[in-house]
Amino acid sequence: EKEKLKLISYEERVVRCPYRELYTSGRTDKSPRQYAEDFVPTTKTWSHSTFKSGLRADRSEDEKEDIMNQFWENYISLVEQEPEIHGMDYSHA
């Protein structure tokens, strides 16, 4: 007979983005631009290749990287405009 797995309990916790929490707490003297330049790479590390893979296959690698570099620079500018609304909370189960 096969052993069965039974879920006894489940708990979910949200961890607020530490970058945004520090910035909005006032415990740092970073400018909005500095916040954006610190925060955006944390998103870029896990999503750059996914977004890049969505670009047309007939583009060269250099062209794709140029597009992605502009994309990230645009995102940094958006975060700089309203840093308090940009963050990446984590959900743990």
Side-chain angles (χ1 to χ4, degrees):
E1 183 176 312
K2 291 184 178 181
E3 295 293 324
K4 295 182 179 181
L5 211 54
K6 181 179 177 183
L7 180 63
I8 304 297
S9 67
Y10 173 84
E11 187 175 335
E12 181 180 10
R13 303 249 178 180
V14 174
V15 177
R16 298 290 170 212
C17 176
Y19 292 90
R20 185 180 56 219
E21 292 295 301
L22 179 63
Y23 183 79
T24 59
S25 74
R27 296 187 320 250
T28 181
D29 60 352
K30 289 185 180 182
S31 70
R33 180 70 185 194
Q34 289 169 319
Y35 171 74
E37 289 175 348
D38 286 349
F39 166 69
V40 169
T42 69
T43 301
K44 183 178 179 179
T45 58
W46 60 265
S47 60
H48 181 86
S49 61
T50 301
F51 295 154
K52 184 177 168 183
S53 72
L55 296 173
R56 287 194 333 252
D58 65 340
R59 294 182 188 272
S60 70
E61 282 301 307
D62 286 344
E63 186 179 10
K64 288 179 183 181
E65 277 304 316
D66 288 345
I67 291 168
M68 292 307 302
N69 288 335
Q70 185 61 59
F71 171 83
W72 292 115
E73 197 51 49
N74 290 348
Y75 187 40
I76 287 172
S77 294
L78 284 174
V79 173
E80 180 182 13
Q81 291 172 22
E82 292 184 283
E84 62 282 346
I85 68 168
H86 292 273
M88 187 171 52
D89 297 337
Y90 300 89
S91 179
H92 299 275

